[in-house]
Amino acid sequence: MEWTIKNYINGKFKSPVEDQWASNIDPARNKPIGKVPLSNAKDVENAIISAERAFPAWSNTTAEHRSEILRRIAQEIKTQLETLAEAESIDNGKPITLARKIDIPRAASNFNFFADAITQFDTKAHEMYAAKAINLSLRHPHGVVACISPWNLPLYLFTWKIAPALATGNCVVAKPSEITPLTAYLLSRICEKVGLPAGVLNIVHGHGDQAGDALIKHKLVKAITFTGGTATGKTIASSASPQFKKLSLEMGGKNPNIIFTDCDYDKMLETTIRSSFANQGQICLCGSRIFIEQPIYERFKADFLKKVDQLKIGNPLDENVDFGALVSAEHLKKVEGYCDMARKDDQADIIYGGKRIKVKDLEDGFYFSPTVIEVRSNQCVINQEEIFGPVVSLMPFDTEDEVLELANDSPYGLSASVWTTNINKAMRCGQRLESGVIWINTWLKRDLRTPFGGMKSSGMGREGGLDALHFFTEPKNICIDYN
Ligand code: NAD
């Protein structure tokens, strides 16, 4: 089936005003599966105006009412799980099993979580007892907010932003990645079906430097939440900051995975395969720099390579496949370019993969081998720049101090994993690592109440739980004197 994706503006499905479209490509086959609008500033303006008009009524609904609508969206996502999982897999190249187990259920959880959270969200009173005054510290929605998301976890991250924005009473103009627009479009159909009032959520498709740029610069947009690359985050910050818009930026990572000799070895090995290559390494939280304590370095290397070799690479729609296609031809070229650089670098040796692969009957698809590179310096390009693909490096270390210095020697600070059964060592590492999200003896275990986000060039602000509800509301203090 060929999809014609439409913008969702004021509750209606619209073609872009200038009738400009791009092909939406299935990366597993390098074949078009439909077309996506290339919206311009006029489409974005229409969406913003519709959100602005919907805001007074939506922000005046009760929290229970908004919660109920969010629940209906969640329920419909669950009902359509198979359709959405297949669409996500075809659009992105990810194994359908992953979309079915992680991406789509998490999208439903995002709506249910914030449907619950908003009914428990309270405001504060600060009493000045002796002065006979009381402060009512209130929180109000901003109005129109922008949600911009990337291609790696398309529906998962898109809904992670939209759900808290709607729950707190804002109206939204959202822009998914132009590379993976399909499930965002299916979400707009779900919103129409469950009766979300027109204009409360508007979804505009198109390129970042056109539709995205028009969205972040528009004067009616009060807050912007963005997930994507650090360079794009910088551009958005430089455009939006002079207008003093509220900003939340979730950006790139180069996450350390630290393995001590005293770890639970089997659990570590199993998890490290996932944290290296899940979604073909295209998860911002993947541990792409693996540091192994010297006494188990050779054992780990041999066992890890054996497991990498067992990964089943192929058609993402095949139920038995662990590892699908990279998202686009451009991204494939970027990953390949880094491997070419590693080949020329005397501080790095590719010991597994490093090349494109052909999958039977899908020879034109964007497949790249899982890749393991031994590095002798954390300063080499492979360890300093985000590749965002199926490429990990291995490097031995001797002491705790040394590995913490290596781990923190990065412009990024998104997440880190530490493998040790020594609780004191685990805590020392947790406290000294410069990362916003730290996992001890696990990876990707998420509680949606916890603050999520990165330090340094990985992010500004936090998402999740109360942090998201605070981001989408403006505090206001009213002081009443009752003398
Ligand atoms: P990207 O920055 O190219 O695009 C992200 C989104 O921003 C897209 O919707 C794009 O159209 C839009 N955009 C691009 N230029 C814009 C502009 N000038 N103004 C407004 N919008 C613009 O990122 P990507 O390639 O889609 O995603 C990969 C990146 O996302 C990686 O760096 C990865 O680490 C990061 N990521 C971070 C997290 C996190 O939580 N920190 C999660 C997932 C992905």
Side-chain angles (χ1 to χ4, degrees), residues 1-74:
M1 171 176 184
E2 289 248 328
W3 296 94
T4 298
I5 290 170
K6 296 271 180 92
N7 289 332
Y8 179 57
I9 298 176
N10 200 26
K12 302 254 176 350
F13 294 95
K14 303 264 193 193
S15 296
V17 288
E18 283 195 359
D19 208 26
Q20 297 289 310
W21 305 81
S23 274
N24 185 20
I25 303 292
D26 167 359
R29 290 164 188 76
N30 189 12
K31 292 259 165 7
I33 49 168
K35 55 181 193 171
V36 55
L38 291 182
S39 308
N40 65 13
K42 184 68 194 146
D43 299 290
V44 170
E45 166 96 3
N46 291 343
I48 292 171
I49 287 171
S50 107
E52 176 79 357
R53 290 200 180 125
F55 178 67
W58 180 247
S59 56
N60 272 304
T61 54
T62 62
E64 289 74 16
H65 177 78
R66 296 194 298 277
S67 173
E68 163 58 26
I69 294 194
L70 261 52
R71 272 189 202 297
R72 277 192 243 151
I73 299 174

Side-chain angles (χ1 to χ4, degrees), residues 148-153 157 160 175-179 206-216 226-233 235-236 239 249-253 282-285 331 334 386 388 412 414 452-454 458-459 463:
I148 301 177
S149 59
W151 50 256
N152 66 321
L153 300 167
L157 290 174
W160 180 230
K175 198 200 83 61
S177 169
E178 60 274 38
I179 301 168
H207 287 312
D209 57 1
Q210 292 164 34
D213 185 65
L215 179 56
I216 57 149
F226 162 83
T227 298
T230 299
T232 313
T235 305
I236 292 177
S239 298
L249 304 172
E250 300 296 342
M251 303 181 287
Q282 303 166 131
I283 298 182
C284 54
L285 304 163
H331 194 54
K334 176 185 156 188
E386 185 188 42
F388 208 54
Y412 295 104
L414 184 52
F452 177 85
S458 290
E463 296 187 323

Side-chain angles (χ1 to χ4, degrees), residues 70 95 101-102 216 422:
L70 261 52
K101 262 195 252 148
I102 308 276
I216 57 149
N422 178 331

Side-chain angles (χ1 to χ4, degrees), residues 99-116:
R100 198 184 276 143
K101 262 195 252 148
I102 308 276
D103 292 71
I104 310 304
R106 171 61 190 273
S109 299
N110 289 339
F111 282 105
N112 275 332
F113 176 83
F114 285 107
D116 285 338

Side-chain angles (χ1 to χ4, degrees), residues 234-246:
K234 235 184 226 174
T235 305
I236 292 177
S238 64
S239 298
S241 299
Q243 293 185 55
F244 305 112
K245 292 174 191 261
K246 207 164 173 187

